Structure formats: C-alpha cells, structure tokens
Amino acid sequence: MKRTSILDRLEDLIFGQRPLIVLLFAIVTIIMGYGLTKLHIDAGFSKHLPLQHEYMQTFVEHRAEFGGANRVLVALRARDGNMFSPEFFESLRRATDEVFFIPGIDRSRVSSLFTPNVRFTEVVEDGMAGGNVVPADFQPTAEGLEQVRKNILKSSIVGRLVANDFSAAIISAQLIEFDPQTGEKIDLIDVGHQLEKLRHKIENDQIEVNIIGYAKVISDIADGAKRVVLFFLVAFFVSGLLVYLFTRSHRVTAMALFCSLIAVVWQLGLLTYLGFGIDPMGILVPFLIFAIAVSHGVQMITANRAAVFNGADGLTAARASFRALLVPGGVALISDTIGFITIMLIDIEVIQQMAITASLGVATIIFTNLMLLPVLLSYVGFPKDYRQRLRDSIERMDRFWMRVSRTAKPWPAAMLILFALALMVFGAIKGSEIKIGDLHQGVPELRPNSRYNLDSQAITEHFSIGVDMLNVIVETVADGCIDYDVMDNIDTFAWQMSNTPGVQSVIALPGIAKIINAGWSEGALKWRVLPRNRQVLVEAVQYIPTSSGLLNADCSTMPVMIFTSDHKAETISHIVTRIKDYQAEHGTDQVKFRLATGNVGVMAATNEEVAAAQFPILIYVFAAIIILCLITFRSLRATLAITLPLGLVSLLAYALMTELEIGLKVSTLPVVALGVGVGVDYGIYIYSRFQSHLNEGMTIYQAYHETLKVTGSGVLITGITLAIGTATWIFSPLQFQADMGILLTFMFLLNMLGALLLLPALASWLLRIKHRNNQDSQG
C-alpha cells in the first residue's frame, strides 16, 4: 500500500535523516544557549499597571505633576521610643543624604526633616512667619532639639513624616522610571539593594530602620526567586528517579531529561532574541515548562516501551511511538499553548510577557519531545532481559489497572458520576465566594513574616500613613483653590472619606487652608473654617507650595490623599464605591473627582481588570479545547468526556482558593488557565488510545483496561512528576510562589484522577446512550 499521508511522509523524513536531524537540533540548541547567556531580569513598575484602565489614564495624565505610585518610605525609629537625641538626628541626616543620591530617586520629591521642602508656618506679631523644620544652622543640642520639636508641632507633619509618638521619622521619596541622562530603565532591583545597604549602614542597637516601597518589594522578590533554582534541582532529581523507576533504563531516562532541558534552553534563548527579559513574577514559568516537557517525554517513552514489549527493535519502536503520539501530543500541546495565550487578555504587560514566555516554552516541546526524543530513542539498544523486566513491571501493575478499569462498568461509573456531580455543586457554591484581590495585610507576594511585611506593620503602627495610599484627583477650573464652592465641595468629600471604614487618614488642601486661616486669628478653633471671602481664602492658601502635592501651579487640579488601613480587596472595593457614589451625587462640570493614583489606585484598577478578565479567559480556554477535541476525535461524546472533568477541577480549584483565603489576582488568575491547559493532556492521551481499542472491536471495559496497561502508567507517572515539580514551590520564601505551587499541585493531581477515573465513567455512559439510541432508531 502506497503511503501518502502527511504523517507518514513526516515520519520518513525525520527517521530517514536521523543524523541530520540530531545535528540540526544541536546547532539550534547552541544558538539558543548563547541567547540564554544574555538573559536578564527585567523588572519595571509600569509593567505591572493595567495602563488602558480609566484609573490608570488618570494616573498617567497627572504622574508628572504629582508623582506616581512608585514611592519609597525609609523610617528610622529610636528603639527607646524617643527620637530627640543627637545620635538619631545624625543618623536621619546621613540616611536622607544616602536616599537622595540613590540612582533612580526623583530628588525633587524627597521629603525628610532635613529637606528644605519640609517647612512650618506660624502666626507672629508681624503676621505670618515660617522656615525649615530643621533650621540650616541646626545643632543637636538640647535647645536645638527642643526647637525642632516645636517646629514639628507647627508644621502638621506629625503622623506623616514624624511618628505620632515621636519615636520615629520618615524619609519619603518618589522613583522615576527612566534615567533622564541615558534614557534607560531604572534598575529597581538595584534600587532595592541600595536601600538594603542603607539599612545596614544606619541600623544599630539604638536605631531600627524600616523600608517599604515597590522597589524594595521587587528586590525582595528577585532575591527570593533565586532560591527556585534549588527547587528546580530537587524537581529534576525526583523527576529523574520516577522516570527511571518507570523505564528501568538509565539511557532512556537521561534522554527524557535531556530533551526537556533543551526545551527550556530554547524557550529562554528565544525570549532573549525576541527582546524580552524575564520578570521576577514569571521566573517559575521555565520550571513549569520543564515539568510539562518531562510529562510528554514520559508519554513518548510509554508508547516506545509498549512497542519494545511487543517485540519491536529500537528503530521500529521509535517510529511507532512517533506515529502514535505526534497527533494527540501535538493537539495536547496546542491546547496548552492556547491556554497560555488566553492569559494575554489581561491587559497588564507582566502577565502578557508571562503568557509569551509560557507559549514559547510549550511550542518548543513539540519539537524537542515529540520529534527529537523519538529520534534519540531509535539509537537505544535494549539488553536481552529488558523485555522481561518490562513484562514483570506490566504484570505487577495489571492487577491495579484491572481494579481501576471497573470504573468503565455501568454501576461503578454511575456512582462515580453522581459523586462528581456532588463535587461540582460544592465547587460551584464554594467557588462563588472567591474574592478579587488581596485578602491579607502586607504585600501578598511575600510571606507574612518577611522583613518587608514586618517593616510595613511597624510603619503603620507608628504613623498615620503607610505605603497604602489612594489619590483622588480633583479636576476643576483655574484658581479653583480660591473658589469657596469648589473648596467646600472638596472639603466635604475629604470629611466623608475620613469617616469611611478602612480609611486611616485623609489629607486635602481645604483642611490645610482651614488650619492656616485659624492661624491668622491666633489659632482660635472657631476660625478653623474655609473663609467665604475670596481675598481671605487667598491668604489661607498662598503659603501652601505645589511641592506639597496638594495642588498644581494654577490650582486647577487638587489631589485628595487617602491613606488606607490596608489594601485588602474588600477595603479597596468599599472605598472606591464611596468615591464613585460621591462623584455621582456631588460631581459637577466644574468639579470632577477622578480615580486614581497611588498604589491603592493601581490595585483598584488591577482588581477590576482581573474581575473583567476571569470569565473570558476560562471561556476561551475551554472553547479552544472543545474545538481541538472536536477536530481531533470528531465526536461530541469524546469532547464531553475530556472537558467535563476539567470543568469540575476548575470549580474545585476556585473552592480551594476560597477555603485557603487566596484571592483572585494577577499572580493567581493565570493558574486556573495553566491547570486546564496542562490537564487536558491527560484526557487526550487516554481517550486517543481508548478510541483506537474501541475501533478494534473491543468492549468498553476491555478497551479501557488495555488503555490503562499502556497509557495509564504514563499518565500516573506524569501526574506525580508534575505535582512533585510544583509542590516544591510551596516551600518558597515568596508567598505568591507558594500559592501557585498549592493550586497547580492540586489541579495536576485532580486532573490526573479525572482522566483515569471520571473520563472512562463518562465515556462509558455516553457510549451506552449512543448504542441504545441506535438500537431504538433501528427498532
């Protein structure tokens, strides 16, 4: 018979030119390896922003005037509770100078007791007087320190730059994103390391240093991410051990691991050649690709082992495994790729780069594990006793698979389906309670007991502000700050927000203007009001500089700074709702309250972006899987048998997230799509062989038993390998990696069980219904 199919031609091409194929792969690997040496960590603040969101449009428009959300706070705290000592002020001065000269710091936006933009204003006999809180001729004597204490009380910086209990002081700074001289991105990781060096220089037995800010977060994440190399080594050796126990061959095991490593080298090399780096948030993706590659390598080895068991030599067995698995393996990997690509629906650059990284990795597996691996296996010569060892291994597992295959019989299948329906109802109810965003205080990417989160807690306890800030940009007419109606509207808004649960404090221009107005009347509280007279209002605001961040040059924009008690999802949602309600009721053509800048504004935009993307992502993933299964198997029943277990596991994953209080956010949203995309591999491999045995005329039970004898062992080893590879992440010093490890381990194991148990149960009932319908139509 003349062989004309594309698959046959491709098989002849690859196996007819084996030395050339191996040489070609070696050349490409060397080229990609060279690219890998140029790979760099690429961390950027704007990469984590949903820049197309309306809040971020406000953020971008006003970033130049009022700064962005990329702040750094360095707090020095006297361990004895009293900051008024010569040692403390000398340390604060040194720390201010250190921060000022860190590359990437916007020097015009550094605020400290020692910077000239921190001033006080007071009423004296001749009118208004003011000056720097720390005078230029300051000496740390008892008199000098007492004068600074008085100046602090006059300046309204208690709670902002000075602790409420006078135990600590803050150095606040904004970061720029690009170096104005070179135009290159500021290295945030280096900024974080510089801040850590500052801590080591200043901190001692008398003074504690607390540092918070985005650059420090990224630096800590990058440092923690380096430890994943250790997890990779553990996963590598455990995977190698499992594959060896399965194959009983050192050479076959080495080939599977070698081809999987090549896939990772190609992935990272391609990233470099395409102009990308790797973000600390996505550093786990290459290790996930390695685990996926090993799983597909195990399937290829399984098919090869079956051919050797039936008497084939190395070349014949390799050709048979290539022919049997290229289509189902290719479909499975294409499903994985589509699952990763759908993550790009989240309009955040760091997530889109993660999707590109993962998609490239899965695409390389098609070449390394579905093409190169069988070619390498064709060179393996098996010892005489190898078939006997395989026979012994298969016979040991046969009893186990006979029990498992009973799930294809009517009553066990019915009971299993009912149990799955109960789990589906539970998953739907529990999963519906999942929250969008962060559910805990501190930075969720880091462990609760990390130094950063402890620093954040210390600052929150001693100051009225923290790193959690939301700025509402009030846009009005020019000279709006001397228009009573405009200022009164803003003042009312600030008062309502200060009485909103979750708000720690509020700073707005009208509040400062009222204090100054009272100052003109010897500080009498009854005059702490907004003057209705325009000229008096001018006197109340003229001493407030634009450097305060409370107004721009022509008073047409006035931010309201809202410091929140935390950045939990419920806190942000409640505050944002109150702001929107106020704008709807009190906003006018002349006064608009626009969301939002500040890091909480970024989180609010991100949470809304995630909420909008979660269902489209799952819909597209499942739609792609359904279409590919329909094309491959040309059967609606086969498609349902493969996809329904995936849907069940997705619901249970949401239920697990709810139970473990893991919010749906940028770092966890892709996990469900990843789990579904990888989980479908099991079902495709199982059903592909199951269908081939049915076509040979076997009964459902016989076909499934034969499927498990060959493919079942591969799926079992694959599931365990993937689960162990991701389970090591649970011990990461980074919380988001631990969360991903828990969720992916859970999904990989349950998807494996779904393919081995629920898929045949569904398939058996669907086929029986089909046969019954055929009999009825014939009758």
Side-chain angles (χ1 to χ4, degrees), residues 398 400-409 416 682-683 685-687 689-694 698-713 715 752-764 767:
D398 191 48
F400 173 73
W401 292 129
M402 285 184 67
R403 291 179 185 144
V404 174
S405 59
R406 291 173 186 169
T407 55
K409 292 185 176 181
L416 197 57
Y682 305 131
Y685 279 123
I686 289 282
Y687 201 91
R689 187 165 289 274
F690 178 60
Q691 187 180 55
S692 67
H693 288 311
L694 286 175
M698 295 184 184
T699 64
I700 294 173
Y701 173 77
Q702 290 172 334
Y704 186 53
H705 182 222
E706 291 300 315
T707 297
L708 290 179
K709 286 171 63 177
V710 177
T711 307
S713 297
V715 168
M752 176 193 71
L753 293 175
L756 291 175
L757 301 175
L758 186 56
L759 184 153
L762 288 168
S764 66
L767 289 170

Side-chain angles (χ1 to χ4, degrees), residues 577-621:
T577 300
R578 289 292 299 271
I579 295 169
K580 289 181 177 179
D581 290 345
Y582 189 90
Q583 163 62 22
E585 293 179 17
H586 303 285
T588 65
D589 292 338
Q590 288 191 329
V591 184
K592 297 179 181 177
F593 297 85
R594 291 184 61 186
L595 287 159
T597 69
N599 69 308
V600 174
V602 172
M603 292 178 187
T606 303
N607 289 351
E608 292 186 9
E609 194 73 27
V610 168
Q614 62 167 322
F615 292 115
I617 284 178
L618 287 177
I619 289 171
Y620 290 143
V621 169

Side-chain angles (χ1 to χ4, degrees), residues 98-130:
E98 291 280 350
V99 170
F100 193 81
F101 289 106
I102 291 176
I105 294 292
D106 185 347
R107 296 174 184 174
S108 66
R109 296 186 184 278
V110 177
S111 296
S112 161
L113 290 179
F114 280 93
T115 56
N117 57 359
V118 177
R119 299 174 60 82
F120 71 94
T121 304
E122 64 177 332
V123 179
V124 295
E125 290 181 357
D126 297 331
M128 300 291 289

